[in-house]
Amino acid sequence: MIVLIPAYEPDERMLELVDALDEDGCRMLVVDDGSGDDYQPLFDDVCSRGIPVLHQCSNTGKAGALRRGLTYIAGRWPGEDVVTADSDGQHRPHDIEAVAAVTAQGDALVLGGRAFTGEVPLRSRVGNAFSRMLFRASTGQRVHDTQTGLRGIPSSRIPDVLSVGGERFAWEMNVLMDFSRRRIPIKEIPIETVYLDGNASSHFRPLRDSLAVLRPMLRYLLVSLGSFVLDVVALQLLYVASGQLLLSAIGARVLSGVVNFALNRSFVFRAAAAGDVRTQLMRYGLIAVAMLAAGYAGLALLTEWGVPLVIAKVVADGAVYVCGFLLQRGYVFARRRDAPEELPAAVPALR
């Protein structure tokens, strides 16, 4: 087991964490994410303890530091599991070791989930609650702490993690989204909630990084909403032109379905290279037919009761649309679990 610690402009708390883990016999790797000359003495102290340090020439963000560390570990210590921990003292050694113990038991990504009890900064409490809600809405999976940096990665899952795109803090959310979509198991264990000095040491930029973290989920919801609006407008126009409810419903669904499939495949799920388009289209078509039948049944029933067409459309399709979201994510565009990208052949040297 290797504890991977990304650090950008750290303070003495990094040394305290390193010393505590060293006393417990943990092996570590620290990545200096372009902190600059002023912080070199701290990293020299880490090196003097026999702990390797990788230096980034410039600040690449947390994603860049973690990718570099994971790539190095996979090359130098193949077969070793990894636990990622922040350098600011918010992850206690006993929690790091607890995540490591669970990670060693299987092939699941293990999260150290904070309970957010006690004195938690408002921006952290609200941000995590919002992120948690949207993640569950987009994936159907419950994760209490989607933004935790304490994660256990089995050695077999390092290629899967490295295959995920994204930068800075958004990358950690992308990993959860990707694993959920590919049905790779995710476990969560409770850890202590620690915020020091009002979380002043965090390099998380509330507005900019929150938008980046939520971008994958927002893309999913935006495309689905746009397709739904297109379906409603097309239904109304076709019904006015033809006077045939069934024909109008089928035509509107075909049009919105083609647009939805293309955007979900290329823009939302980024699945253009992850599966055969014919298989994806066939699965999408089966789901679309089932949703069309359910939606039309509800639409016919509501209009028979005298509900205006547009209102009936919104109510009927709203009831079945959530199921369509989940089926597209988990079935139509699911990536194969056995198709991660290969690790880079070259291992970065210590600098």
Side-chain angles (χ1 to χ4, degrees):
M1 178 71 67
I2 309 295
V3 179
L4 173 58
I5 305 174
Y8 175 62
E9 298 183 351
D11 55 25
E12 294 292 332
R13 286 175 290 199
M14 179 180 67
L15 296 181
E16 294 173 1
L17 174 63
V18 165
D19 286 339
L21 292 174
D22 190 48
E23 289 180 4
D24 292 338
C26 296
R27 289 184 292 169
M28 289 165 276
L29 174 68
V30 174
V31 179
D32 166 23
D33 190 28
S35 301
D37 294 339
D38 292 344
Y39 296 87
Q40 189 59 44
L42 283 171
F43 293 107
D44 290 340
D45 285 346
V46 172
C47 288
S48 70
R49 291 160 166 78
I51 298 166
V53 176
L54 297 174
H55 293 280
Q56 303 275 65
C57 295
S58 60
N59 178 242
T60 61
K62 192 175 184 182
L66 289 173
R67 283 195 186 103
R68 173 124 188 239
L70 288 170
T71 303
Y72 184 87
I73 290 170
R76 181 172 179 179
W77 300 295
E80 290 287 347
D81 299 335
V82 178
V83 174
T84 65
D86 294 344
S87 64
D88 57 6
Q90 294 192 33
H91 297 146
R92 299 307 195 196
H94 64 272
D95 286 328
I96 294 173
E97 293 168 12
V99 169
V102 176
T103 303
Q105 296 173 5
D107 65 348
L109 177 71
V110 181
L111 308 178
R114 297 161 292 182
F116 302 108
T117 56
E119 296 183 3
V120 178
L122 180 61
R123 68 170 185 171
S124 298
R125 188 183 296 276
V126 173
N128 276 278
F130 188 51
S131 176
R132 178 168 60 246
M133 177 188 67
L134 285 180
F135 179 79
R136 187 178 183 188
S138 296
T139 67
Q141 186 167 357
R142 184 190 297 271
V143 171
H144 184 73
D145 187 1
T146 59
Q147 297 181 21
T148 180
L150 180 54
R151 302 184 175 199
I153 307 170
S155 60
S156 62
R157 293 300 177 198
I158 292 178
D160 295 304
V161 172
L162 288 174
S163 72
V164 178
E167 300 301 329
R168 298 187 62 86
F169 291 91
W171 182 62
E172 293 180 304
M173 176 62 79
N174 290 356
V175 170
L176 295 182
M177 295 286 289
D178 185 77
F179 273 41
S180 177
R181 177 162 55 88
R182 296 168 61 188
R183 299 186 292 276
I184 296 176
I186 300 173
K187 293 183 178 180
E188 190 171 23
I189 66 171
I191 65 170
E192 185 178 352
T193 304
V194 179
Y195 284 102
L196 304 173
D197 302 325
N199 205 24
S201 64
S202 175
H203 299 287
F204 186 85
R205 302 165 298 183
L207 179 59
R208 186 173 177 181
D209 287 330
S210 292
L211 290 175
V213 165
L214 298 177
R215 191 175 295 128
M217 293 179 288
L218 293 177
R219 283 200 305 260
Y220 184 89
L221 297 176
L222 180 63
V223 168
S224 298
L225 178 61
S227 301
F228 181 69
V229 171
L230 175 62
D231 197 12
V232 172
V233 173
L235 172 69
Q236 187 73 11
L237 294 176
L238 290 172
Y239 186 66
V240 170
S242 68
Q244 299 293 320
L245 181 60
L246 177 59
L247 181 63
S248 300
I250 293 175
R253 183 55 56 88
V254 169
L255 175 61
S256 63
V258 170
V259 173
N260 184 265
F261 174 83
L263 290 176
N264 279 345
R265 185 172 189 266
S266 62
F267 177 63
V268 177
F269 298 104
R270 308 294 173 88
D276 178 60
V277 64
R278 290 174 296 181
T279 300
Q280 293 171 343
L281 189 58
M282 181 183 66
R283 292 176 176 178
Y284 185 91
L286 291 174
I287 292 174
V289 170
M291 290 180 62
L292 176 62
Y296 178 75
L299 184 63
L301 180 62
L302 290 172
T303 53
E304 182 70 23
W305 289 348
V307 178
L309 178 62
V310 173
I311 296 177
K313 176 68 173 176
V314 172
V315 173
D317 277 11
V320 299
Y321 224 66
V322 172
C323 294
F325 291 165
L326 299 177
L327 287 170
Q328 287 183 51
R329 171 191 59 81
Y331 177 61
V332 177
F333 299 108
R335 291 176 58 183
R336 300 195 311 270
R337 294 180 60 173
D338 59 347
E341 293 182 5
E342 295 183 359
L343 289 173
V347 179
L350 288 169
R351 302 180 43 220

